Amino acid sequence: MSITISRKSENYFTLVGIFSILFLLFLLSLLGTSPLLNLFGLSKINATLLFISRILYWLSLVLLWLYSIKFEKQNMLIWDEQKYKLSTFLISIIVIFAVLIIGLILISLVYRLTGISKTSIKLLEMVAVFRANKLLLVFTALTAGVVEELIFRGYLQPRLEIILKKPALAIVISSILFALLHYRYGTVINIIGPFFIGLIFSYYYWKYRNITILIICHFLWDLMSLFLLVNTGH
């Protein structure tokens, strides 16, 4: 049985938790922006700053977990995790990857037809760092897979559904928030792409209630994408 939020005080703490974690993630996203880089005396992001930022994301996850326990008086994940056979895990990963590949290819084609295609300078800077530090690449993919899924799907989506009382709206809003977190890359496609990914992941979590599969998918997707970027030079 899933735990539900019923009292007004619990709704208050839940809303505070939602806005607090979003604000914290927004602050962390500023670490790669020019003003803060200049503050640290840097012209572009380096391995040290990237590593520190990933550690801070993990710390944010720990703080959110503690907040859920101490103030919301409930688990961070309020939907019970459904168990599936290994074969179901593998099929789910294959299907999710297939949908993402097809969907993102179509989105990329439409985006290029608009004539506003633009390369993300920030992403290229990160790729340059990863090319010299493969362990940091893996750690970054792992951080995205675990932290982003537990926060956006595991924490935000179920609470938005309870507050809004509309699963579809919770799926869309959580996906928009997930996409906006990627604004720092500076291009429209780097927001549209994550929005589509967020929709697929959020729908899967709503229907099948398994965050583990999504964490694995997210990690593998980012790992594959980053290695592809590193090896192709784009």
Side-chain angles (χ1 to χ4, degrees):
M1 178 183 296
S2 298
I3 302 173
T4 57
I5 305 169
S6 56
R7 293 192 296 256
K8 288 184 178 180
S9 59
E10 292 174 332
N11 278 320
Y12 168 77
F13 282 118
T14 297
L15 286 171
V16 170
I18 289 174
F19 283 109
S20 296
I21 190 60
L22 290 174
F23 180 68
L24 184 56
L25 291 176
F26 170 74
L27 290 180
L28 290 178
S29 69
L30 295 177
L31 283 177
T33 59
S34 297
L36 280 184
L37 287 176
N38 293 334
L39 184 63
F40 293 123
L42 300 172
S43 58
K44 58 184 179 180
I45 198 165
N46 60 23
T48 301
L49 190 59
L50 260 178
F51 177 73
I52 292 174
S53 68
R54 301 311 105 173
I55 293 297
L56 291 176
Y57 277 110
W58 283 98
L59 180 58
S60 300
L61 180 63
V62 172
L63 291 175
L64 184 61
W65 172 74
L66 290 173
Y67 181 87
S68 302
I69 299 297
K70 301 294 287 185
F71 293 95
E72 292 185 12
K73 306 298 181 183
Q74 61 184 351
N75 294 328
M76 189 175 76
L77 302 182
I78 60 177
W79 284 349
D80 292 336
E81 185 80 347
Q82 298 298 310
K83 306 299 182 183
Y84 296 104
K85 295 179 180 179
L86 179 60
S87 58
T88 304
F89 261 73
L90 295 176
I91 292 172
S92 295
I93 292 172
I94 292 171
V95 171
I96 290 173
F97 263 63
V99 172
L100 292 182
I101 290 171
I102 295 172
L104 290 173
I105 287 176
L106 292 175
I107 290 173
S108 180
L109 290 174
V110 172
Y111 182 69
R112 289 183 179 182
L113 288 175
T114 64
I116 58 173
S117 181
K118 179 183 176 184
T119 302
S120 170
I121 302 301
K122 292 299 178 183
L123 186 57
L124 290 179
E125 290 177 358
M126 291 177 65
V127 168
V129 173
F130 292 144
R131 189 170 288 120
N133 195 328
K134 299 300 193 300
L135 285 178
L136 182 57
L137 184 156
V138 175
F139 182 56
T140 297
L142 180 63
T143 299
V146 176
V147 175
E148 291 181 6
E149 286 311 308
L150 288 178
I151 290 178
F152 285 94
R153 256 62 71 181
Y155 180 83
L156 288 176
Q157 184 183 339
R159 286 164 173 79
L160 287 173
E161 180 174 328
I162 290 170
I163 292 171
L164 300 172
K165 296 180 174 56
K166 293 182 179 180
L169 191 57
I171 288 173
V172 171
I173 292 178
S174 64
S175 300
I176 291 174
L177 294 172
F178 174 68
L180 290 178
L181 179 66
H182 297 77
Y183 81 95
R184 63 188 180 278
Y185 293 114
T187 66
V188 176
I189 194 65
N190 288 118
I191 293 179
I192 297 175
F195 173 68
F196 174 72
I197 293 172
L199 285 178
I200 301 302
F201 283 6
S202 294
Y203 175 78
Y204 183 93
Y205 190 47
W206 170 77
K207 188 171 180 62
Y208 297 104
R209 298 290 203 272
N210 189 288
I211 198 72
T212 304
I213 290 177
L214 293 178
I215 289 174
I216 294 172
C217 283
H218 196 147
F219 165 64
L220 291 177
W221 181 265
D222 277 21
L223 189 67
M224 179 188 72
S225 300
L226 290 175
F227 266 115
L228 185 63
L229 288 171
V230 164
N231 292 321
T232 60
H234 294 97

